[in-house]
């Protein structure tokens, strides 16, 4: 599976448990067209949720809403094409006046759709609901000070490690970046790697780490974008990885290549920084090996002054331009996105606050750990200041190319972030958007 699909679809590959639907409170609907007497409003929702075997079906979740809200009926449609194809459809539907009121968008897709005039400003309506969600995730549904929907799932970075190997080697579970570097150095002396530098994941994986260190690469004010990838937090992350690459203390391997998986299976790689949605994927990579029951998850070691992590994937549900009933759409949006256990069964690390039930298959691999309680804590620690620019996906190529060179030792790690700065400005300029000097 491709990482881009996993980012916007969560951790569906390992969600196999059925959960009961639990209702959460909803806020007031205060604007939009009103239905006449004996009339019902219909809200259309276009999504990319997997709806696979063993999951609580989207239709079943929505049926509960429809039963309780006869005046506001929701119909859901699953889009089975690629993410880019869904964006093309949504743009065409907005122009034709036939767009769904609500649509699932990856967080990096939101700014582009906003600047192209495809999303409604629902800032006032959102105020009744934002406290139900991770503040960092809410920020990813806000562009230029305008909120365009509500978050659904997240991908905060966490740290996965083989607890049995750590104990055998006498390694302490790291709580800071310096402690992680020390553990990695000690593991390398024993022929193991406690982290992996992943060139193919440079864009979201490394930007998320800089967010954890306090970076805010992009800001928007009065329609102008500012780009600054030269802050102290970014420099901290660059220095961290440069030291490990220089001393050959880190495995250098593409996350989605065979070498990474093999290093996990043979226990050469005993720790890795990864997104929350990787919890079941790592379990799947190591299924049937000696690793089962040995691994654990903790919040990302701190790269800055406080416990904070950064985003690596996830999606929200946006209100599309032309939605006739934005208040009712946001009321449902909040309700649906706070159906925690049903959405966990869909493979999501939900953005809503509250306890998530760890599926038994995941709990078993991680030695009985309540993994989703750690992921929920990571949600609360998600940086509220790191957002994406319109066209951020276009920055990927140059960052990955620079990361390849850095991993091979032929260029400094800081070149990755220099490439991000240059490519981000180019992406904004190409889109015809003003860039603050």
């Amino acid at each position: 599976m491709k990482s881009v699909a996993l980012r916007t679809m969560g951790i569906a590959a390992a969600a196999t448990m059925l959960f009961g639907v639990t209702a959460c409170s909803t806020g007031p609907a205060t604007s939009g067209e009103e239905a006449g007497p004996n009339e019902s409003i219909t809200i259309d929702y276009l999504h990319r949720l997997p709806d696979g075997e063993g999951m609580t079906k989207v239709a079943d979740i929505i049926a509960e809403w429809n039963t309780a809200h006869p005046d506001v009926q929701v119909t859901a449609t699953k889009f089975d094409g690629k993410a880019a194809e869904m964006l093309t459809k949504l743009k065409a539907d907005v122009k034709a006046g036939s767009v769904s009121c609500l649509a699932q968008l990856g967080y990096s897709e939101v700014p582009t759709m906003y600047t192209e005039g495809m999303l409604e400003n629902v800032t006032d309506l959102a105020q009744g609901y934002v406290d139900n969600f991770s503040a960092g995730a809410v920020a990813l549904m806000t562009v230029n000070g305008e909120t365009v929907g509500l978050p659904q799932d997240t991908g905060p970075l966490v740290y996965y490690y083989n607890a049995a190997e750590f104990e055998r080697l006498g390694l302490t579970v790291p709580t800071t970046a310096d402690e992680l570097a020390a553990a990695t150095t000690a593991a390398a002396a024993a022929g193991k790697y406690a982290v992996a530098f992943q060139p193919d994941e440079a864009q979201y994986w490394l930007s998320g780490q800089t967010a954890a260190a306090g970076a805010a690469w992009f800001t928007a004010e009065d329609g102008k974008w500012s780009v600054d990838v030269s802050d102290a937090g970014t420099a901290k992350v660059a220095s961290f990885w440069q030291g490990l690459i220089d001393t050959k203390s880190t495995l250098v391997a593409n996350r989605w290549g065979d070498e990474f998986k093999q290093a996990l299976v043979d226990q050469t790689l005993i720790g890795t920084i990864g997104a929350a949605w990787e919890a079941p994927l790592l379990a799947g990579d190591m299924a049937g090996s000696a690793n089962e029951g040995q691994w654990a998850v903790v919040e990302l070691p701190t790269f800055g002054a406080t416990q904070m992590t950064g985003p690596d994937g996830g999606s929200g549900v946006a209100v599309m331009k032309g939605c006739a009933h934005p208040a009712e759409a946001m009321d449902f949006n909040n309700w649906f996105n706070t159906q925690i256990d049903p959405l966990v069964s869909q493979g999501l690390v939900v953005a809503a606050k509250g306890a998530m039930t760890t599926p038994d298959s995941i709990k078993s691999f991680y030695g009985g750990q309540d993994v989703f309680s750690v992921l929920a804590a990571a949600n609360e620690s998600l940086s509220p200041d790191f957002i994406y620019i319109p066209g951020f996906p276009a920055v990927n190529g140059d960052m990955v190319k620079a990361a390849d060179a850095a991993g091979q030792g032929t260029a400094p790690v800081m070149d990755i972030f220099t490439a991000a700065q240059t490519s981000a400005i180019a992406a904004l300029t190409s889109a015809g958007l003003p860039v603050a000097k």
Side-chain angles (χ1 to χ4, degrees), residues 143-341:
V143 188
N144 198 31
E146 296 184 359
T147 303
V148 297
L150 294 173
Q152 185 171 88
D153 67 291
T154 61
L157 291 173
V158 293
Y159 182 64
Y160 301 93
Y161 69 101
N162 186 316
E165 284 295 295
F166 263 60
E167 183 177 0
R168 187 179 69 82
L169 296 174
L171 302 178
T172 301
V173 180
T175 61
T176 68
D178 289 342
E179 290 176 3
L180 178 56
T184 300
T185 300
K192 305 282 186 177
Y193 296 112
V195 291
F197 181 75
Q198 305 163 32
D200 60 341
E201 281 290 283
Q203 182 185 22
Y204 292 96
W205 183 70
L206 284 176
S207 65
Q209 290 173 47
T210 70
W217 287 1
F218 312 120
T219 54
E221 187 174 358
D222 298 328
K224 288 187 176 181
W225 287 90
S226 296
V227 180
D228 182 8
V229 190
S230 60
D231 59 281
T234 300
K236 167 79 172 179
V237 173
S239 176
F240 172 84
W241 287 108
Q242 191 66 66
L244 297 182
I245 291 171
D246 287 347
T247 58
K248 301 187 185 306
S249 298
T250 178
L251 175 70
V252 176
N254 284 333
R255 172 62 182 91
W256 309 107
D258 291 339
E259 183 181 359
F260 186 94
K261 179 178 179 179
Q262 184 57 45
L264 290 171
V265 171
D266 66 21
Q267 299 188 337
T268 299
L269 180 60
I270 60 171
T272 183
I273 295 173
W277 45 263
E278 290 186 65
L281 302 181
L282 290 166
D285 284 340
M286 293 179 271
S289 73
N291 290 277
E292 290 192 357
Q294 293 188 351
W295 281 66
V297 188
V298 292
E299 289 195 68
L300 185 71
T302 56
F303 277 81
T306 61
Q307 180 63 57
M308 191 158 62
T309 188
D312 184 358
S315 63
V317 179
V319 180
M320 301 304 299
K321 180 65 72 173
C323 174
H325 307 287
E328 291 82 0
M330 282 292 285
D331 197 13
F332 167 75
N333 199 357
N334 172 72
W335 181 88
F336 185 80
N337 289 342
T338 53
Q339 300 308 294
I340 294 178
D341 280 348

Side-chain angles (χ1 to χ4, degrees), residues 8 19 111 165-166 175 222 255 300 318 324 350 361 365 395-396 420:
T8 55
F19 299 96
E165 284 295 295
F166 263 60
T175 61
D222 298 328
R255 172 62 182 91
L300 185 71
V350 298
S361 59
F365 177 82
V395 178
N396 180 64

Side-chain angles (χ1 to χ4, degrees), residues 34-59:
E34 298 294 332
N38 302 318
E39 292 181 4
S40 65
I41 289 169
T42 299
I43 303 294
D44 295 321
Y45 167 42
L46 187 66
H47 69 87
R48 303 197 297 250
L49 296 175
D51 245 2
E53 182 179 353
M55 300 177 181
T56 303
K57 302 297 184 184
V58 171

